[in-house]
């Protein structure tokens, strides 16, 4: 998993660093392809999530583009871990969403909630 740091050592730009979970912390479990395709077929196809739903490492992940307070491009990420929905905001940032992006986030959260209930 990678996180983007918006503070690149005092320089403008971003630095990318890999993050490994601490010992004893489990990571999100991958969704087998048969389960992923069944879930994708059973979840109501909301056109707002068509461009934000991806399969990464065998897991369904939604990335909704947004901006921060000074209009830099960022993303809010949603995924399901065990029976819980995980929402990852831009690191140390505020997510500024347009009404369209908010609709995408709402639809992604609804789909993730459906997956978590299974």
């Amino acid at each position: 998993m990678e996180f983007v740091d918006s503070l690149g050592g005092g320089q403008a730009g971003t630095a990318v660093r890999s993050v490994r979970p601490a010992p004893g912390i489990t990571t999100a479990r991958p969704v087998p392809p048969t389960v992923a395709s069944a879930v994708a077929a059973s979840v109501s196809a909301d056109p707002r999530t068509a461009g934000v739903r991806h399969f990464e490492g065998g897991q369904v992940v939604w990335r909704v583009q947004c901006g921060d307070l000074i209009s830099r491009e960022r993303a809010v990420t949603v995924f399901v871990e065990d029976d819980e929905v995980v929402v990852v905001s831009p690191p140390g940032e505020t997510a500024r969403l347009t009404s369209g992006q908010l609709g995408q986030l709402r639809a992604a959260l609804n789909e993730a909630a459906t997956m978590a209930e299974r």
Side-chain angles (χ1 to χ4, degrees):
M1 181 180 297
E2 284 186 344
F3 290 95
V4 178
D5 245 343
S6 62
L7 301 174
Q11 299 176 359
T14 59
V16 177
R17 61 185 164 90
S18 292
V19 176
R20 299 201 193 297
I25 296 178
T26 59
T27 58
R29 63 187 154 97
V31 178
T34 54
V35 173
S37 60
V39 168
S42 66
V43 172
S44 61
D46 192 322
R48 293 174 293 190
T49 61
V52 299
R53 184 188 320 113
H54 307 282
F55 288 93
E56 297 177 11
Q59 180 177 359
V60 181
V61 175
W62 295 264
R63 291 199 195 281
V64 177
Q65 297 303 310
C66 64
D68 65 8
L69 291 177
I70 58 173
S71 300
R72 293 177 293 190
E73 288 188 29
R74 298 289 185 246
V76 175
T77 304
V78 177
F79 63 94
V80 176
E81 183 174 272
D82 297 322
D83 60 348
E84 298 178 329
V85 176
V86 179
V87 180
V88 182
S89 66
E93 302 278 349
T94 299
R96 178 178 281 176
L97 299 141
T98 64
S99 61
Q101 291 166 335
L102 185 58
Q104 290 176 336
L105 180 59
R106 183 183 308 121
L109 289 169
N110 285 335
E111 287 183 21
T114 300
M115 283 180 61
E117 291 172 351
R118 293 173 190 258

